[in-house]
Amino acid sequence: MSYKIEMADEILTFTIDRPDIRNAINEGVMEGFEELTKKVHKSNPRFVIITASGSQAFCSGGDLSVFHELKTKEQAYPMLKRMSEVLYAIKTLPVPVIALVNGAAVGGGCEIATACDYRLVREHAKCGFIQGTLAITSGWGGGSYLFETLQHDRALKMLSDARAYPADELLENGWATKIVRDDADIEAFIHSMKKIRPEVHRAYKEIAIRKWQASGLKDRVESEVRRCAELWEADVHHEAVDNFLAKAKK
Ligand SMILES: CC[C@H](C(=O)O)C(=O)SCCNC(=O)CCNC(=O)[C@H](O)C(C)(C)COP(=O)(O)OP(=O)(O)OC[C@H]1O[C@@H](n2cnc3c(N)ncnc32)[C@H](O)[C@@H]1OP(=O)(O)O
């Protein structure tokens, strides 16, 4: 199984479990996220945590060894669309969603963390929207979510830098909620959340969801997905992916 879903102490934890390829997302992990969002609505947790196995990566984005076979916009769109719907379902969960960024979050991995309400980032973790180095944009909704999260100039800079930011820069630009140095830091954050009753957390999340619904966030995500699919079919994108995979084989 490429993921784990565990409930403990009223907290539902999803763990991407593909550490050998830096927790890259394939269809199996997408299925896991779809199962997670269904479980939230059934099991009524206080919070959701999304994290990953190992300490080297939270998520390295789409699994290039699989998705490089998608050549045209018609072939890429269904994958991008499916994961964009996963992230919108995560974004609009009725309870707080915490990304525990245990390592590098790049490309679609940065999009997943950005779809969460909070980002607790380990000191060594570097995170960034590196899609630009592959001549594409974010394609799962992460660009739209970043503009909802950061001050405009910081969001646009983080997207167009197309590089992984170290943890201190992520805290400075507002992407990281908190840098966590050890498990005690994580427990302290969870403890601070537990001081407030679940129904209050849910009511505040409802305010955010109403704002996103009123502002057409879902339509903005769809436009982002379509634009990424258009860029996807350019030779320059496929050459960049082939270069990455060729380097990996050395
Ligand atoms: C719309 C979203 C969009 C999409 O799905 O198209 C994207 O997500 S585009 C961005 C896709 N992701 C990347 O380009 C990131 C690629 N990976 C890296 O930059 C690095 O692996 C990093 C920084 C995540 C970790 O670096 P580190 O030095 O710790 O590890 P290695 O690079 O040596 O990788 C170890 C091993 O994992 C394989 N790997 C890593 N990332 C991916 C990936 N995304 N897809 C497939 N395989 C990946 C890498 O090839 C190595 O394999 P090995 O067989 O051990 O050589």
Side-chain angles (χ1 to χ4, degrees):
M1 190 80 96
S2 52
Y3 64 91
K4 291 179 279 189
I5 301 178
E6 296 151 311
M7 174 75 107
D9 194 18
E10 295 183 283
I11 298 174
L12 198 56
T13 300
F14 183 93
T15 304
I16 308 171
D17 192 21
R18 307 185 78 208
D20 292 350
I21 63 164
R22 301 302 181 264
N23 296 310
I25 302 295
N26 62 2
E27 302 233 332
V29 179
M30 290 186 194
E31 276 162 28
F33 277 127
E34 289 158 350
E35 183 188 343
L36 169 73
T37 52
K38 287 185 193 124
K39 268 189 193 297
V40 172
H41 294 289
K42 282 191 196 137
S43 56
N44 201 21
R46 286 180 74 130
F47 319 121
V48 170
I49 292 178
I50 295 176
T51 190
S53 296
S55 61
Q56 288 175 294
F58 170 77
C59 175
S60 60
D63 185 338
L64 296 171
S65 66
V66 174
F67 296 150
H68 84 101
E69 287 163 17
L70 307 174
K71 297 300 182 193
T72 65
K73 63 171 177 264
E74 290 77 15
Q75 289 169 343
Y77 176 78
M79 176 278 285
L80 297 170
K81 175 72 175 171
R82 181 180 181 187
M83 192 60 190
S84 76
E85 288 175 335
V86 162
L87 291 196
Y88 189 79
I90 288 170
K91 184 83 184 161
T92 55
L93 284 173
V95 297
V97 182
I98 300 163
L100 179 44
V101 184
N102 57 295
V106 291
C110 208
E111 299 190 57
I112 294 168
T114 307
C116 299
D117 296 299
Y118 301 105
R119 283 158 294 282
L120 306 184
V121 179
R122 289 283 192 185
E123 278 180 300
H124 66 277
K126 291 188 174 181
C127 308
F129 290 81
I130 61 165
Q131 290 89 330
T133 63
L134 300 177
I136 57 173
T137 62
S138 52
W140 292 345
S144 302
Y145 300 148
L146 195 69
F147 282 114
E148 287 291 318
T149 307
L150 300 193
Q151 181 179 307
H152 174 79
D153 57 346
R154 290 175 177 177
L156 192 57
K157 194 71 173 60
M158 189 171 183
L159 290 167
S160 42
D161 272 352
R163 66 176 172 88
Y165 284 22
D168 58 344
E169 262 193 273
L170 295 166
L171 193 65
E172 188 191 345
N173 82 342
W175 188 83
T177 305
K178 182 183 176 63
I179 294 178
V180 286
R181 287 163 180 79
D182 52 30
D183 290 350
D185 278 355
I186 298 166
E187 285 311 313
F189 186 86
I190 299 285
H191 180 70
S192 71
M193 299 266 292
K194 283 187 173 175
K195 287 179 184 166
I196 301 297
R197 290 192 56 78
E199 60 270 27
V200 174
H201 280 293
R202 282 175 173 265
Y204 278 133
K205 196 62 197 279
E206 284 166 20
I207 295 173
I209 292 167
R210 280 199 295 272
K211 174 195 160 202
W212 296 328
Q213 287 168 339
S215 66
L217 180 59
K218 199 168 189 175
D219 291 341
R220 283 182 273 146
V221 166
E222 176 60 16
S223 302
E224 175 183 334
V225 170
R226 289 190 178 281
R227 192 74 185 89
C228 181
E230 288 166 4
L231 294 169
W232 188 284
E233 65 183 4
D235 289 343
V236 65
H237 169 235
H238 300 311
E239 285 155 16
V241 173
D242 291 345
N243 288 340
F244 173 82
L245 293 172
K247 260 189 250 158
K249 287 194 174 65
K250 279 181 188 148

